[in-house]
Amino acid sequence: RYPDGKFYLKLGHHDNFEGVVETAEEVLEWYRNGEGDKDAVAELSKFLIAFIKDLQVEEVSGGCCVTSKTPTKDAPYIEEVGEGLFVAAGGCGYAAKSCDEIGRIAAVLVVEGRWDSEIGQERMKV
């Protein structure tokens, strides 16, 4: 449950529906659009509603994101890369479902200076 009292499902599509943006202007234009890929939203919504028979959907919306990938596509990077400089990036197309936890792990590392996950820190080093 989110602070507004509602429940939300966040979906990612991994490499499906993925387009390539290569310049800063292309990234800016993608975010200016603000709606994401309408075909992806329609297909994923249709799948989810068919998959979860009793799901009561009040609203469906899409948004924009870009996917950053680590070379192994194994896990995101969460690490202090310089004194006081931290990185949390590289969801590899899987982070929609886990972005809250990735952010929490990174926040604990930044604020408390400790690793707080059952997943070994070595898997998430740059």
Side-chain angles (χ1 to χ4, degrees), residues 37-111:
D37 184 322
K38 291 179 183 179
D39 291 336
V41 173
E43 286 296 316
L44 291 170
S45 300
K46 185 171 119 181
F47 167 77
L48 192 62
I49 291 166
F51 187 70
I52 304 174
K53 299 290 184 203
D54 294 331
L55 182 66
Q56 295 177 8
V57 178
E58 292 181 13
E59 181 182 349
V60 173
S61 64
C64 298
C65 68
V66 293
T67 303
S68 55
K69 297 181 180 178
T70 61
T72 63
K73 291 188 178 182
D74 183 41
Y77 293 143
I78 304 174
E79 183 178 15
E80 184 174 17
V81 295
E83 188 173 335
L85 179 61
F86 293 81
V87 170
C92 305
Y94 297 106
K97 66 184 172 304
S98 54
C99 61
D100 292 342
E101 180 63 6
I102 292 167
R104 188 199 64 76
I105 294 167
V108 170
L109 183 62
V110 170
V111 174

Side-chain angles (χ1 to χ4, degrees), residues 9-59:
L9 293 174
K10 298 183 226 177
L11 299 178
H13 54 76
H14 191 249
D15 289 339
N16 300 314
F17 305 102
E18 197 165 277
V20 176
V21 292
E22 296 181 349
T23 68
E25 185 55 39
E26 288 173 327
V27 172
L28 287 172
E29 186 57 35
W30 173 244
Y31 279 107
R32 283 184 191 124
N33 165 339
E35 296 180 357
D37 184 322
K38 291 179 183 179
D39 291 336
V41 173
E43 286 296 316
L44 291 170
S45 300
K46 185 171 119 181
F47 167 77
L48 192 62
I49 291 166
F51 187 70
I52 304 174
K53 299 290 184 203
D54 294 331
L55 182 66
Q56 295 177 8
V57 178
E58 292 181 13
E59 181 182 349

